Amino acid sequence: MNNLGFALEGAWKVLLAGLVLGAGLPLLFALGIRSLAYGAGGDASSATGRPAHPVGTVVAWILFVVVLLGVALGITFIVASGFGKELSFEHIFPTIVDK
Amino acid sequence: MFTLWIWLCNASDDHRVTQSSVILVLVVVTALAFDFTNGFHDTANAMATTIATKALKPRTAVALSGLLNLVGAFLSVEVALTVTNAVVKIQNPDGTPQAALTADGGSALLLIVLAGLVGGIVWNLLTWLLGLPSSSSHALFGGLIGATVAGLGWAGVNWTGNGSKLDGVVGKVLLPAVLSPVIAGLVAAVGTWVIFKIVAGLFTERSFKWGQIGSASLVSLAHGTNDAQKTMGVITLALIASGHWTSVTSIPLWVKIACAVAIALGTYLGGWRIIRTLGKGLVEIAPPQGMAAQSSSAAVILASSHLGFALSTTHVATGSILGSGVGRPGAHVRWRVAGRMGAAWLITLPAAGLVGAAMWWIGDLLGGGLSGALAVFVLLVAAAGAMYWRSRLLPVGHHNVNEDWSAAAVPEPDAPDPVPASVASEKVRLP
């Protein structure tokens, strides 16, 4: 296989991972904000004081925690690669292994 | 620097600083200078959107980014010494310098490395003066390629690798440069589009502040681990070539500290001209776009280094910001600015290469020894001084980094000159 083949193979994987993490996490974050607004009642653009929905607030924070876990994964990856380790997704749950 | 001096004096048996030791000091100082330019050139990658959307004050943003670069640099415990192997053949596969280049205190290798570094620095400074983001790694590679072609001929360059993995100038520089803005742009465009769909009708711009700060911090940290390593590798290579270090599995502590501090100081200084272009010049960025762009940058940079398809931070960050403009309904992208950046990327490799080659020839003409290295160093200082002086004519700093792009009060990237009225009116008409 030549360089172009390797590059395209790497590129689509990076694109896929980028879409899941780079667009997926912001999506969850935005959903969290929407949910938070729903939980607080009203939709912020109208001050008509609709009833609050506590479930919206709960869902929002669950979503924010998922986003934070994504960020933690990123930090773990940076630190691990600095120490010559890498993350393995072999068992789905990320584990730190030797490079 | 003082530590280095003491260390060198101890290293030379007769307590006399030899010629090659002075050349080595010049190489180390130049490498740290490159690391410094690498820092301020790339502040924009992490912080341009955060500054443009006012999620952080300009000075807070560069301080945070500098600090995270420092931390990131110290996290690079395992430093690869084979950094130049991707593009040139001056090292063996295990990281030791090629034997043919280490005679006479390694002066042959030191001159190539010095000329290459100067090529990288000059290109970094020129693009900074023009306010154009361009990849520091590509500038360094370009300089090294030019110096190697001049010193060892075309065969000294690793153009395509041996076909067993992604390698060589084509595999490590050209293909990633083409693909990275596309990948990052797509991710950011999708992210921006869904965010605006979801939060339509909500006045929530402030909520995105933390998302932006978080993702920008990740980019800064990753930058510290990736980019400071390159200079650490180059300096250690020079130390091995001149016989001041032997291990290929570890690097001297002072090298790590010096590189970490240089890149962090550079980042803290902030390449305001580039921050301005990326934050204000390409698209008008709203907080949700900023978050989408930075998340895309962080995810793509980390995923690419995990998958062994290393992409330049600069290309990814620029692609992401462009993508966030494409993905926002009704947003306006200044494609002319994007086109200028694209042009700068295309000529990064040959331009830095020409400077690198010219420096090697000048050094070689003067005998390749101490006088040659000194001449190259003096030329670098003169070029850097001239460009700094030029930049002071129309300074861009934290005070005016966020001014309206079309206002002529601050320079356009292609015109650092004070613009005559006739030209200025043409600029204002820019969309």
Short mmCIF file of all heavy atoms in Angstrom, two decimals, chain A residues 1 3-4 6-7 10-11 13-15 17-19 21-23 26-27 29-31 33-34 37 43-45 74-75 77-79 82-84 87 89, chain B residues 75-78 160 163-167 171 175 183 187 191 195 198 200-202 204 207-208 218 222 225 291 295-296 299 302-307 309:
data_model
loop_
_atom_site.label_atom_id
_atom_site.label_comp_id
_atom_site.label_asym_id
_atom_site.label_seq_id
_atom_site.Cartn_x
_atom_site.Cartn_y
_atom_site.Cartn_z
N MET A 1 0.85 -1.19 0.00
CA MET A 1 0.00 0.00 0.00
C MET A 1 0.89 1.25 0.00
O MET A 1 1.95 1.25 0.59
CB MET A 1 -0.90 -0.02 1.24
CG MET A 1 -2.06 0.92 1.10
SD MET A 1 -3.48 0.46 2.09
CE MET A 1 -2.86 0.45 3.74
N ASN A 3 1.54 5.63 0.30
CA ASN A 3 1.22 6.68 1.27
C ASN A 3 -0.23 7.15 1.18
O ASN A 3 -0.88 7.37 2.18
CB ASN A 3 2.15 7.86 1.06
CG ASN A 3 3.41 7.75 1.89
OD1 ASN A 3 3.33 7.41 3.07
ND2 ASN A 3 4.56 7.99 1.30
N LEU A 4 -0.73 7.28 -0.06
CA LEU A 4 -2.09 7.78 -0.23
C LEU A 4 -3.09 6.82 0.42
O LEU A 4 -4.02 7.24 1.12
CB LEU A 4 -2.40 7.96 -1.72
CG LEU A 4 -3.76 8.59 -2.02
CD1 LEU A 4 -3.84 9.99 -1.46
CD2 LEU A 4 -4.03 8.61 -3.52
N PHE A 6 -2.48 4.71 2.94
CA PHE A 6 -2.36 4.84 4.40
C PHE A 6 -3.06 6.10 4.88
O PHE A 6 -3.74 6.11 5.91
CB PHE A 6 -0.89 4.89 4.81
CG PHE A 6 -0.17 3.57 4.69
CD1 PHE A 6 0.91 3.45 3.84
CD2 PHE A 6 -0.58 2.47 5.42
CE1 PHE A 6 1.58 2.24 3.72
CE2 PHE A 6 0.09 1.26 5.31
CZ PHE A 6 1.16 1.13 4.46
N ALA A 7 -2.86 7.19 4.13
CA ALA A 7 -3.41 8.47 4.56
C ALA A 7 -4.94 8.43 4.56
O ALA A 7 -5.59 8.87 5.50
CB ALA A 7 -2.90 9.60 3.67
N GLY A 10 -6.16 6.35 7.40
CA GLY A 10 -6.10 7.11 8.65
C GLY A 10 -7.16 8.20 8.68
O GLY A 10 -7.79 8.44 9.70
N ALA A 11 -7.37 8.84 7.53
CA ALA A 11 -8.25 10.01 7.49
C ALA A 11 -9.69 9.65 7.84
O ALA A 11 -10.33 10.36 8.61
CB ALA A 11 -8.19 10.65 6.09
N LYS A 13 -10.78 7.22 9.63
CA LYS A 13 -10.88 6.88 11.06
C LYS A 13 -10.89 8.14 11.90
O LYS A 13 -11.66 8.28 12.86
CB LYS A 13 -9.70 6.00 11.48
CG LYS A 13 -9.81 4.57 11.02
CD LYS A 13 -8.68 3.77 11.65
CE LYS A 13 -8.44 2.48 10.92
NZ LYS A 13 -7.07 1.98 11.13
N VAL A 14 -9.98 9.08 11.56
CA VAL A 14 -9.93 10.33 12.32
C VAL A 14 -11.25 11.09 12.15
O VAL A 14 -11.78 11.65 13.12
CB VAL A 14 -8.74 11.20 11.85
CG1 VAL A 14 -8.78 12.57 12.50
CG2 VAL A 14 -7.42 10.52 12.16
N LEU A 15 -11.78 11.07 10.94
CA LEU A 15 -13.05 11.76 10.68
C LEU A 15 -14.16 11.15 11.54
O LEU A 15 -14.94 11.88 12.18
CB LEU A 15 -13.41 11.66 9.20
CG LEU A 15 -14.73 12.32 8.79
CD1 LEU A 15 -14.68 13.82 9.05
CD2 LEU A 15 -15.03 12.07 7.32
N ALA A 17 -13.87 9.33 14.39
CA ALA A 17 -13.65 9.63 15.81
C ALA A 17 -13.92 11.11 16.07
O ALA A 17 -14.49 11.48 17.10
CB ALA A 17 -12.22 9.27 16.20
N GLY A 18 -13.53 11.96 15.11
CA GLY A 18 -13.75 13.40 15.26
C GLY A 18 -15.23 13.72 15.32
O GLY A 18 -15.67 14.54 16.13
N LEU A 19 -16.02 13.05 14.47
CA LEU A 19 -17.46 13.32 14.47
C LEU A 19 -18.10 12.86 15.78
O LEU A 19 -18.91 13.58 16.37
CB LEU A 19 -18.13 12.61 13.28
CG LEU A 19 -17.96 13.30 11.92
CD1 LEU A 19 -18.50 12.43 10.81
CD2 LEU A 19 -18.67 14.66 11.91
N LEU A 21 -16.65 12.38 18.81
CA LEU A 21 -16.23 13.15 19.98
C LEU A 21 -16.32 14.66 19.74
O LEU A 21 -16.78 15.41 20.60
CB LEU A 21 -14.79 12.78 20.36
CG LEU A 21 -14.61 11.32 20.79
CD1 LEU A 21 -13.13 11.00 20.93
CD2 LEU A 21 -15.33 11.06 22.11
N GLY A 22 -15.89 15.10 18.57
CA GLY A 22 -15.79 16.53 18.31
C GLY A 22 -17.11 17.19 17.98
O GLY A 22 -17.29 18.38 18.19
N ALA A 23 -18.05 16.43 17.42
CA ALA A 23 -19.37 16.98 17.16
C ALA A 23 -20.40 16.37 18.10
O ALA A 23 -21.37 17.03 18.49
CB ALA A 23 -19.78 16.74 15.70
N PRO A 26 -20.30 18.20 21.77
CA PRO A 26 -20.99 19.50 21.71
C PRO A 26 -22.50 19.33 21.54
O PRO A 26 -23.28 20.11 22.08
CB PRO A 26 -20.37 20.19 20.50
CG PRO A 26 -19.04 19.57 20.35
CD PRO A 26 -19.19 18.16 20.81
N LEU A 27 -22.90 18.31 20.79
CA LEU A 27 -24.33 18.03 20.62
C LEU A 27 -24.97 17.74 21.98
O LEU A 27 -26.02 18.30 22.32
CB LEU A 27 -24.51 16.82 19.69
CG LEU A 27 -25.89 16.16 19.67
CD1 LEU A 27 -26.78 16.89 18.68
CD2 LEU A 27 -25.81 14.70 19.28
N PHE A 29 -23.82 18.60 24.87
CA PHE A 29 -23.74 19.84 25.65
C PHE A 29 -24.91 20.76 25.30
O PHE A 29 -25.57 21.32 26.19
CB PHE A 29 -22.40 20.52 25.36
CG PHE A 29 -22.11 21.70 26.24
CD1 PHE A 29 -21.62 21.52 27.53
CD2 PHE A 29 -22.31 23.00 25.79
CE1 PHE A 29 -21.35 22.60 28.34
CE2 PHE A 29 -22.04 24.09 26.60
CZ PHE A 29 -21.56 23.88 27.88
N ALA A 30 -25.18 20.90 24.00
CA ALA A 30 -26.27 21.75 23.56
C ALA A 30 -27.61 21.20 24.03
O ALA A 30 -28.49 21.95 24.50
CB ALA A 30 -26.26 21.88 22.04
N LEU A 31 -27.77 19.87 23.97
CA LEU A 31 -28.98 19.25 24.48
C LEU A 31 -29.13 19.54 25.97
O LEU A 31 -30.24 19.79 26.46
CB LEU A 31 -28.95 17.73 24.25
CG LEU A 31 -29.30 17.25 22.84
CD1 LEU A 31 -29.09 15.74 22.73
CD2 LEU A 31 -30.75 17.61 22.50
N ILE A 33 -28.05 22.13 27.58
CA ILE A 33 -28.47 23.53 27.76
C ILE A 33 -29.97 23.69 27.46
O ILE A 33 -30.70 24.34 28.21
CB ILE A 33 -27.63 24.44 26.83
CG1 ILE A 33 -26.22 24.54 27.40
CG2 ILE A 33 -28.25 25.81 26.71
CD1 ILE A 33 -25.26 25.28 26.54
N ARG A 34 -30.41 23.01 26.40
CA ARG A 34 -31.84 23.04 26.05
C ARG A 34 -32.66 22.47 27.22
O ARG A 34 -33.68 23.02 27.62
CB ARG A 34 -32.03 22.19 24.80
CG ARG A 34 -33.43 22.11 24.28
CD ARG A 34 -33.63 23.11 23.17
NE ARG A 34 -34.81 23.92 23.40
CZ ARG A 34 -35.21 24.89 22.60
NH1 ARG A 34 -34.49 25.22 21.55
NH2 ARG A 34 -36.28 25.58 22.85
N ALA A 37 -32.85 24.73 30.20
CA ALA A 37 -33.82 25.80 29.99
C ALA A 37 -35.24 25.28 30.19
O ALA A 37 -36.09 25.93 30.80
CB ALA A 37 -33.65 26.38 28.59
N ASP A 43 -38.74 29.47 28.03
CA ASP A 43 -37.60 29.16 27.17
C ASP A 43 -36.69 30.37 27.03
O ASP A 43 -36.12 30.62 26.00
CB ASP A 43 -38.04 28.62 25.81
CG ASP A 43 -38.97 29.58 25.10
OD1 ASP A 43 -39.17 30.68 25.63
OD2 ASP A 43 -39.48 29.21 24.03
N ALA A 44 -36.59 31.09 28.13
CA ALA A 44 -35.62 32.18 28.24
C ALA A 44 -35.95 33.36 27.33
O ALA A 44 -35.66 34.49 27.66
CB ALA A 44 -34.20 31.70 27.99
N SER A 45 -36.57 33.07 26.18
CA SER A 45 -36.90 34.18 25.30
C SER A 45 -38.23 34.82 25.75
O SER A 45 -38.50 35.96 25.45
CB SER A 45 -37.01 33.70 23.85
OG SER A 45 -37.99 32.69 23.77
N GLY A 74 -10.05 12.75 27.12
CA GLY A 74 -9.05 13.50 26.37
C GLY A 74 -7.81 13.77 27.20
O GLY A 74 -6.68 13.55 26.76
N ILE A 75 -8.01 14.22 28.45
CA ILE A 75 -6.87 14.51 29.32
C ILE A 75 -6.08 13.23 29.60
O ILE A 75 -4.85 13.21 29.55
CB ILE A 75 -7.34 15.16 30.63
CG1 ILE A 75 -7.98 16.53 30.32
CG2 ILE A 75 -6.19 15.32 31.61
CD1 ILE A 75 -8.61 17.18 31.52
N PHE A 77 -5.80 10.68 27.75
CA PHE A 77 -5.04 10.31 26.56
C PHE A 77 -3.75 11.12 26.46
O PHE A 77 -2.67 10.58 26.20
CB PHE A 77 -5.88 10.52 25.30
CG PHE A 77 -5.10 10.33 24.06
CD1 PHE A 77 -4.68 9.07 23.68
CD2 PHE A 77 -4.73 11.42 23.29
CE1 PHE A 77 -3.93 8.89 22.54
CE2 PHE A 77 -3.97 11.25 22.15
CZ PHE A 77 -3.57 9.98 21.77
N ILE A 78 -3.86 12.45 26.71
CA ILE A 78 -2.68 13.31 26.59
C ILE A 78 -1.62 12.89 27.60
O ILE A 78 -0.44 12.72 27.28
CB ILE A 78 -3.05 14.79 26.82
CG1 ILE A 78 -4.01 15.27 25.73
CG2 ILE A 78 -1.80 15.66 26.84
CD1 ILE A 78 -4.58 16.65 25.99
N VAL A 79 -2.06 12.67 28.86
CA VAL A 79 -1.12 12.31 29.92
C VAL A 79 -0.50 10.95 29.62
O VAL A 79 0.71 10.76 29.71
CB VAL A 79 -1.82 12.31 31.29
CG1 VAL A 79 -0.88 11.83 32.37
CG2 VAL A 79 -2.33 13.70 31.61
N GLY A 82 2.06 11.04 26.95
CA GLY A 82 3.28 11.69 27.44
C GLY A 82 4.18 10.70 28.17
O GLY A 82 5.39 10.82 28.15
N PHE A 83 3.56 9.69 28.80
CA PHE A 83 4.33 8.70 29.54
C PHE A 83 4.61 7.46 28.69
O PHE A 83 4.96 6.42 29.22
CB PHE A 83 3.60 8.30 30.82
CG PHE A 83 3.71 9.32 31.91
CD1 PHE A 83 2.84 10.40 31.98
CD2 PHE A 83 4.72 9.24 32.85
CE1 PHE A 83 2.95 11.36 32.97
CE2 PHE A 83 4.85 10.20 33.84
CZ PHE A 83 3.97 11.25 33.91
N GLY A 84 4.43 7.58 27.38
CA GLY A 84 4.71 6.46 26.49
C GLY A 84 3.67 5.37 26.55
O GLY A 84 3.92 4.23 26.18
N LEU A 87 -4.12 4.63 25.00
CA LEU A 87 -5.41 4.11 25.40
C LEU A 87 -5.79 2.97 24.47
O LEU A 87 -5.58 3.04 23.27
CB LEU A 87 -6.47 5.21 25.33
CG LEU A 87 -6.36 6.35 26.34
CD1 LEU A 87 -7.49 7.33 26.14
CD2 LEU A 87 -6.38 5.82 27.75
N PHE A 89 -9.01 0.64 23.26
CA PHE A 89 -10.48 0.55 23.31
C PHE A 89 -10.92 -0.89 23.02
O PHE A 89 -12.04 -1.14 22.62
CB PHE A 89 -11.11 1.53 22.32
CG PHE A 89 -10.85 2.96 22.69
CD1 PHE A 89 -9.77 3.65 22.17
CD2 PHE A 89 -11.69 3.62 23.59
CE1 PHE A 89 -9.51 4.96 22.53
CE2 PHE A 89 -11.44 4.93 23.95
CZ PHE A 89 -10.35 5.60 23.42
N LEU B 75 4.83 16.88 30.57
CA LEU B 75 4.20 15.56 30.50
C LEU B 75 4.89 14.66 29.47
O LEU B 75 4.69 13.46 29.47
CB LEU B 75 2.72 15.70 30.13
CG LEU B 75 1.79 16.15 31.25
CD1 LEU B 75 0.39 16.33 30.71
CD2 LEU B 75 1.80 15.17 32.39
N SER B 76 5.70 15.29 28.58
CA SER B 76 6.37 14.47 27.57
C SER B 76 7.51 13.73 28.22
O SER B 76 8.66 14.13 28.11
CB SER B 76 6.92 15.32 26.43
OG SER B 76 6.07 16.39 26.18
N VAL B 77 7.20 12.63 28.90
CA VAL B 77 8.25 11.88 29.57
C VAL B 77 9.02 11.05 28.55
O VAL B 77 10.24 10.95 28.59
CB VAL B 77 7.64 10.99 30.67
CG1 VAL B 77 8.70 10.10 31.29
CG2 VAL B 77 7.01 11.87 31.74
N GLU B 78 8.30 10.46 27.60
CA GLU B 78 8.95 9.67 26.56
C GLU B 78 9.11 10.54 25.33
O GLU B 78 8.16 10.78 24.60
CB GLU B 78 8.08 8.46 26.22
CG GLU B 78 7.83 7.54 27.37
CD GLU B 78 8.71 6.31 27.32
OE1 GLU B 78 8.82 5.73 26.24
OE2 GLU B 78 9.30 5.96 28.35
N THR B 160 9.27 9.56 0.25
CA THR B 160 8.03 8.78 0.36
C THR B 160 8.11 7.64 1.35
O THR B 160 7.15 6.90 1.51
CB THR B 160 7.66 8.16 -1.01
OG1 THR B 160 8.77 7.36 -1.45
CG2 THR B 160 7.37 9.23 -2.04
N GLY B 163 7.30 2.55 1.95
CA GLY B 163 6.04 1.92 1.53
C GLY B 163 5.40 1.03 2.57
O GLY B 163 4.33 0.50 2.36
N SER B 164 6.08 0.85 3.73
CA SER B 164 5.50 -0.04 4.74
C SER B 164 4.58 0.71 5.69
O SER B 164 3.75 0.12 6.37
CB SER B 164 6.61 -0.73 5.54
OG SER B 164 7.30 0.22 6.31
N LYS B 165 4.74 2.02 5.77
CA LYS B 165 3.85 2.82 6.62
C LYS B 165 3.81 4.24 6.09
O LYS B 165 4.58 4.59 5.19
CB LYS B 165 4.32 2.79 8.07
CG LYS B 165 5.71 3.38 8.29
CD LYS B 165 6.01 3.36 9.76
CE LYS B 165 7.39 3.69 10.21
NZ LYS B 165 8.25 4.61 9.60
N LEU B 166 2.93 5.03 6.69
CA LEU B 166 2.84 6.42 6.29
C LEU B 166 4.15 7.11 6.65
O LEU B 166 4.53 7.16 7.82
CB LEU B 166 1.68 7.07 7.06
CG LEU B 166 1.14 8.39 6.53
CD1 LEU B 166 0.49 8.18 5.17
CD2 LEU B 166 0.12 8.95 7.50
N ASP B 167 4.89 7.60 5.67
CA ASP B 167 6.22 8.13 5.98
C ASP B 167 6.67 9.10 4.89
O ASP B 167 6.06 9.20 3.83
CB ASP B 167 7.22 6.96 6.10
CG ASP B 167 8.49 7.38 6.82
OD1 ASP B 167 8.49 8.43 7.49
OD2 ASP B 167 9.49 6.66 6.72
N GLY B 171 4.01 11.44 2.92
CA GLY B 171 3.12 10.82 3.90
C GLY B 171 2.97 11.60 5.19
O GLY B 171 1.93 11.58 5.82
N LEU B 175 0.29 14.97 2.47
CA LEU B 175 -1.06 14.40 2.56
C LEU B 175 -1.80 14.87 3.80
O LEU B 175 -2.96 15.29 3.72
CB LEU B 175 -0.99 12.87 2.49
CG LEU B 175 -0.66 12.30 1.11
CD1 LEU B 175 -0.42 10.80 1.17
CD2 LEU B 175 -1.80 12.61 0.13
N ILE B 183 -11.03 17.35 7.16
CA ILE B 183 -11.59 16.57 8.26
C ILE B 183 -12.11 17.49 9.36
O ILE B 183 -13.26 17.41 9.79
CB ILE B 183 -10.51 15.62 8.86
CG1 ILE B 183 -10.06 14.62 7.79
CG2 ILE B 183 -11.05 14.90 10.08
CD1 ILE B 183 -8.88 13.78 8.23
N VAL B 187 -16.06 18.18 10.68
CA VAL B 187 -16.49 17.93 12.05
C VAL B 187 -17.07 19.21 12.66
O VAL B 187 -18.16 19.19 13.26
CB VAL B 187 -15.32 17.41 12.91
CG1 VAL B 187 -15.71 17.32 14.38
CG2 VAL B 187 -14.86 16.05 12.42
N GLY B 191 -20.88 19.94 13.85
CA GLY B 191 -21.09 20.34 15.25
C GLY B 191 -21.83 21.67 15.34
O GLY B 191 -22.80 21.80 16.09
N ILE B 195 -25.66 22.27 16.88
CA ILE B 195 -25.81 23.13 18.05
C ILE B 195 -26.82 24.23 17.78
O ILE B 195 -27.73 24.47 18.57
CB ILE B 195 -24.46 23.75 18.47
CG1 ILE B 195 -23.53 22.68 19.02
CG2 ILE B 195 -24.68 24.82 19.53
CD1 ILE B 195 -22.16 23.19 19.37
N ILE B 198 -30.29 22.90 17.84
CA ILE B 198 -30.80 22.52 19.16
C ILE B 198 -31.13 23.73 20.02
O ILE B 198 -32.16 23.77 20.71
CB ILE B 198 -29.78 21.60 19.88
CG1 ILE B 198 -29.73 20.25 19.18
CG2 ILE B 198 -30.16 21.40 21.34
CD1 ILE B 198 -28.63 19.36 19.68
N ALA B 200 -31.75 26.77 19.04
CA ALA B 200 -32.45 27.87 18.36
C ALA B 200 -33.53 28.44 19.26
O ALA B 200 -34.30 27.71 19.88
CB ALA B 200 -33.06 27.33 17.06
N GLY B 201 -33.56 29.74 19.36
CA GLY B 201 -34.60 30.38 20.17
C GLY B 201 -34.22 30.60 21.62
O GLY B 201 -34.92 31.29 22.35
N LEU B 202 -33.10 30.03 22.05
CA LEU B 202 -32.65 30.24 23.44
C LEU B 202 -31.58 31.33 23.46
O LEU B 202 -30.76 31.40 22.56
CB LEU B 202 -32.04 28.96 24.02
CG LEU B 202 -32.96 27.76 24.23
CD1 LEU B 202 -32.14 26.60 24.76
CD2 LEU B 202 -34.07 28.11 25.20
N THR B 204 -28.66 31.66 25.03
CA THR B 204 -27.80 30.87 25.90
C THR B 204 -26.34 31.05 25.59
O THR B 204 -25.52 30.24 25.96
CB THR B 204 -28.11 29.39 25.74
OG1 THR B 204 -28.04 29.09 24.35
CG2 THR B 204 -29.47 29.06 26.27
N SER B 207 -23.76 30.29 28.10
CA SER B 207 -23.59 28.92 28.57
C SER B 207 -22.44 28.22 27.86
O SER B 207 -21.87 27.26 28.37
CB SER B 207 -24.87 28.12 28.31
OG SER B 207 -26.00 28.92 28.50
N PHE B 208 -22.12 28.69 26.67
CA PHE B 208 -21.09 28.01 25.90
C PHE B 208 -19.68 28.41 26.32
O PHE B 208 -18.70 27.86 25.85
CB PHE B 208 -21.29 28.27 24.41
CG PHE B 208 -22.46 27.53 23.86
CD1 PHE B 208 -23.70 28.13 23.77
CD2 PHE B 208 -22.33 26.20 23.48
CE1 PHE B 208 -24.78 27.43 23.29
CE2 PHE B 208 -23.42 25.50 23.00
CZ PHE B 208 -24.65 26.12 22.91
N LEU B 218 -7.84 21.88 26.36
CA LEU B 218 -7.38 20.58 25.85
C LEU B 218 -6.41 20.77 24.68
O LEU B 218 -5.37 20.11 24.60
CB LEU B 218 -8.56 19.74 25.36
CG LEU B 218 -9.26 18.86 26.38
CD1 LEU B 218 -10.37 18.07 25.70
CD2 LEU B 218 -8.28 17.91 27.02
N ALA B 222 -2.49 19.54 24.68
CA ALA B 222 -2.00 18.64 23.63
C ALA B 222 -0.86 19.29 22.85
O ALA B 222 0.12 18.63 22.49
CB ALA B 222 -3.14 18.26 22.68
N THR B 225 2.43 18.97 24.79
CA THR B 225 3.06 17.64 24.74
C THR B 225 3.63 17.36 23.35
O THR B 225 4.70 16.79 23.23
CB THR B 225 2.06 16.52 25.09
OG1 THR B 225 0.84 16.77 24.43
CG2 THR B 225 1.83 16.43 26.56
N MET B 291 -17.36 27.04 20.47
CA MET B 291 -17.28 25.75 21.14
C MET B 291 -17.19 24.62 20.13
O MET B 291 -16.41 23.69 20.30
CB MET B 291 -18.45 25.53 22.08
CG MET B 291 -18.17 24.34 22.97
SD MET B 291 -19.56 23.82 23.97
CE MET B 291 -20.41 22.76 22.85
N SER B 295 -13.98 22.17 20.01
CA SER B 295 -14.20 20.74 20.27
C SER B 295 -13.73 19.92 19.09
O SER B 295 -13.10 18.87 19.26
CB SER B 295 -15.69 20.45 20.50
OG SER B 295 -16.19 21.28 21.49
N SER B 296 -14.03 20.41 17.90
CA SER B 296 -13.57 19.71 16.71
C SER B 296 -12.05 19.65 16.69
O SER B 296 -11.46 18.59 16.46
CB SER B 296 -14.10 20.42 15.47
OG SER B 296 -13.36 20.06 14.34
N ALA B 299 -10.80 17.16 19.41
CA ALA B 299 -11.08 15.77 19.08
C ALA B 299 -10.24 15.29 17.90
O ALA B 299 -9.68 14.19 17.93
CB ALA B 299 -12.57 15.60 18.76
N LEU B 302 -6.44 14.95 18.95
CA LEU B 302 -6.18 13.79 19.81
C LEU B 302 -6.43 12.49 19.05
O LEU B 302 -5.64 11.55 19.15
CB LEU B 302 -7.05 13.86 21.06
CG LEU B 302 -6.72 15.04 21.99
CD1 LEU B 302 -7.62 15.05 23.20
CD2 LEU B 302 -5.26 14.98 22.42
N ALA B 303 -7.52 12.42 18.28
CA ALA B 303 -7.81 11.19 17.54
C ALA B 303 -6.69 10.92 16.53
O ALA B 303 -6.26 9.78 16.37
CB ALA B 303 -9.15 11.31 16.82
N SER B 304 -6.20 11.98 15.86
CA SER B 304 -5.19 11.75 14.84
C SER B 304 -3.89 11.26 15.45
O SER B 304 -3.22 10.39 14.90
CB SER B 304 -4.95 13.01 14.01
OG SER B 304 -4.21 13.95 14.74
N SER B 305 -3.53 11.79 16.63
CA SER B 305 -2.27 11.29 17.19
C SER B 305 -2.47 9.89 17.77
O SER B 305 -1.57 9.07 17.75
CB SER B 305 -1.66 12.27 18.20
OG SER B 305 -2.43 12.34 19.35
N HIS B 306 -3.70 9.58 18.23
CA HIS B 306 -3.97 8.22 18.70
C HIS B 306 -3.89 7.22 17.55
O HIS B 306 -3.40 6.11 17.71
CB HIS B 306 -5.36 8.15 19.35
CG HIS B 306 -5.75 6.78 19.79
ND1 HIS B 306 -5.16 6.15 20.85
CD2 HIS B 306 -6.66 5.91 19.29
CE1 HIS B 306 -5.70 4.94 21.00
NE2 HIS B 306 -6.62 4.78 20.07
N LEU B 307 -4.36 7.62 16.39
CA LEU B 307 -4.44 6.69 15.26
C LEU B 307 -3.19 6.72 14.39
O LEU B 307 -3.14 6.14 13.32
CB LEU B 307 -5.67 7.01 14.41
CG LEU B 307 -7.01 6.80 15.14
CD1 LEU B 307 -8.15 7.45 14.40
CD2 LEU B 307 -7.28 5.31 15.33
N PHE B 309 -1.87 9.11 12.68
CA PHE B 309 -1.96 9.91 11.46
C PHE B 309 -1.84 11.37 11.89
O PHE B 309 -2.78 12.14 11.83
CB PHE B 309 -3.30 9.64 10.77
CG PHE B 309 -3.51 10.38 9.48
CD1 PHE B 309 -2.59 10.31 8.46
CD2 PHE B 309 -4.66 11.13 9.28
CE1 PHE B 309 -2.80 10.98 7.27
CE2 PHE B 309 -4.87 11.82 8.10
CZ PHE B 309 -3.94 11.73 7.10
#
